[in-house]
Amino acid sequence: MAQIGVGMLGYAFMGKAHSNAYKKIAYITYPPPLEPLLLGIAGRNEQALGEAAVRYGWDYATTDWRDLISDDRIGLFDNGGPNSLHAEPTIAAAKAGKHVVCEKPLGRDADESYEIWKQVAATGVKHMCAFNYRFVPAVRLAREMIEAGELGEVRHFRGRYLQDWGDDAALDTWRFHPDEAGSGALGDLMTHVVDLARFLNGEIDTVSGFAHTFIPGRKVDDAVEAAVEFANGSVGTLEATRFANGRRNAFQWEINGTKGSLAFDMERLNELQVFRADDDRARGFKTALISETSDPFWQWWWPPGHIIGWGDTFVHELHHFVQAIADESSVAPYGADFEDGYRASEVCDAIVRSGGTGARETISYRS
């Protein structure tokens, strides 16, 4: 079986999710396009890093990510570090000929994201921005239904990502430091909303929005709101907050067309709400359990009705990337490449500008 050596920066939340996925690829998606070999893992806290390496099965740990770049056995560099460490290591890895995965947001702002995309794309390696929610079976099925015209002309998209853990002034992780994170709910959650809006409904043309901070003295945003217009003529609303008490990880979206509508809630990951306008006898949304063998990604899993979980979306995502490497195929359109990562940042920056000026912003993408 052909193999690919993996080096990863980051050992905490995303380090756990990605390590788990690489190990599962080898047997859940058997035979995998390439078998991932967990070689080197890098991070800042030597003790925690060493424990993670043992726990997840990495060959070695290092506090200097440059050791991964210089390791010729590593062909895939996975960057799950803080946002401030997305640019330099990712670009260096690509220039060393390694394929690169980078967690979202690609950069701390659109300028940094553009620079990462531009420099990495110039090397010719495969690149993917890790928007894992594209790889939820229900989300992929929704994309296929929309592409097939089953909703007709789309008129509305509304998406919101609601969490409730930010209402504590004592929180002091890197996510609340602007030099490390770049922003708060904007980069953490709104980037997901923007990317999925683009994935399902196409490019965003204009935005009118603002960011808001509730905790006095906090230097990043706590919540973001925006009204948008899409290139296809539809309109929508986008929302992200870490202050929605009772909503633990509620990434919810709804899309309405002339022939039907779809709705989804990440807290009910295996379900898709479907409405068809021609169903006059039972008008209203119906709950579809997305777990049939014909449903996206389900060929690798369990009998119908035996649901999967949040962590399994990373198996689908990283399998897609490894497949693109093995086949020399494109990461886009179903995976988010670095151009997608940059474009999400451009929309997010426009929301902030709109909040500053009070005016609607027209999105202009750099080529």
Side-chain angles (χ1 to χ4, degrees):
M1 187 181 297
Q3 299 173 324
I4 186 167
V6 181
M8 186 165 70
L9 173 58
Y11 56 85
F13 181 24
M14 285 300 104
K16 182 178 185 179
H18 286 220
S19 297
N20 176 62
Y22 284 122
K23 294 174 80 73
K24 280 189 172 182
I25 285 171
Y27 58 89
I28 288 292
T29 68
Y30 188 86
L34 295 170
E35 180 186 5
L37 299 180
L38 277 58
L39 297 180
I41 185 171
R44 294 179 289 187
N45 185 314
E46 187 171 6
Q47 180 178 347
L49 177 66
E51 292 171 353
V54 172
R55 179 179 181 182
Y56 304 133
W58 293 86
D59 281 0
Y60 68 89
T62 176
T63 55
D64 188 346
W65 56 262
R66 295 169 183 83
D67 292 336
L68 307 181
I69 307 303
S70 62
D71 189 338
D72 292 336
R73 299 173 300 161
I74 291 174
L76 192 168
F77 179 75
D78 187 321
N79 192 337
N83 300 346
S84 58
L85 284 176
H86 283 186
E88 185 182 2
T90 301
I91 292 169
K95 289 184 175 180
K98 304 181 192 303
H99 306 288
V100 288
V101 174
C102 185
E103 265 300 331
K104 48 87 330 226
L106 184 58
R108 287 168 291 182
D109 56 27
D111 288 342
E112 187 172 66
S113 297
Y114 178 73
E115 192 64 23
I116 297 171
W117 168 43
K118 183 175 69 172
Q119 293 207 40
V120 169
T123 68
V125 302
K126 298 294 180 185
H127 46 87
M128 183 173 72
C129 190
F131 286 110
N132 63 300
Y133 294 133
R134 291 181 175 220
F135 292 89
V136 176
V139 172
R140 174 64 67 83
L141 180 59
R143 163 78 182 236
E144 293 174 359
M145 293 173 69
I146 294 165
E147 285 182 321
E150 294 185 41
L151 299 191
E153 178 188 344
V154 174
R155 291 172 173 167
H156 294 280
F157 177 91
R158 59 191 64 85
R160 60 184 194 170
Y161 202 154
L162 313 177
Q163 294 182 347
D164 68 353
W165 60 277
D167 196 2
D168 182 352
L171 288 171
D172 192 33
T173 74
W174 65 265
R175 295 182 184 276
F176 294 96
H177 295 276
D179 57 332
E180 290 190 88
S183 62
L186 184 75
D188 188 18
L189 304 180
M190 182 58 93
T191 48
H192 272 304
V193 183
V194 170
D195 180 72
L196 207 64
R198 292 184 59 250
F199 182 64
L200 294 176
N201 198 35
E203 295 295 356
I204 295 171
D205 275 356
T206 69
V207 302
S208 179
F210 61 90
H212 185 78
T213 302
F214 293 102
I215 300 293
R218 181 169 284 175
K219 296 180 179 180
V220 298
D221 56 275
D222 292 320
V224 188
E225 307 283 345
V228 301
E229 184 177 17
F230 292 86
N232 64 8
S234 63
V235 296
T237 57
L238 312 178
E239 176 184 12
T241 180
R242 300 191 286 208
F243 276 64
N245 279 332
R247 300 296 185 182
R248 300 300 288 154
N249 191 42
F251 186 4
Q252 305 165 338
W253 55 262
E254 181 173 320
I255 187 165
N256 310 120
T258 55
K259 294 181 180 179
S261 297
L262 299 172
F264 175 80
D265 184 344
M266 185 60 61
E267 291 182 348
R268 305 186 70 86
L269 181 148
N270 292 269
E271 297 177 359
L272 183 65
Q273 301 293 314
V274 182
F275 167 75
R276 298 185 186 277
D278 58 1
D279 190 354
D280 294 330
R281 295 194 62 187
R283 194 166 179 85
F285 280 93
K286 297 179 181 178
T287 301
L289 183 62
I290 310 304
S291 67
E292 298 298 319
T293 54
S294 59
D295 287 330
F297 311 113
W298 217 265
Q299 70 270 26
W300 298 316
W301 294 104
W302 321 118
H306 294 70
I307 61 177
I308 62 170
W310 176 85
D312 298 320
T313 65
F314 294 92
V315 178
H316 306 157
E317 176 184 51
L318 293 174
H319 176 276
H320 176 81
F321 189 61
V322 172
Q323 186 82 62
I325 295 170
D327 295 347
E328 298 185 356
S329 56
S330 176
V331 170
Y334 291 113
D337 61 16
F338 279 8
E339 181 176 5
D340 290 304
Y342 152 68
R343 289 187 173 226
S345 293
E346 197 72 79
V347 174
C348 287
D349 277 16
I351 294 172
V352 174
R353 290 197 305 272
S354 175
T357 65
R360 177 172 292 274
E361 287 280 328
T362 298
I363 309 297
S364 178
Y365 297 111
R366 287 167 264 187
S367 61

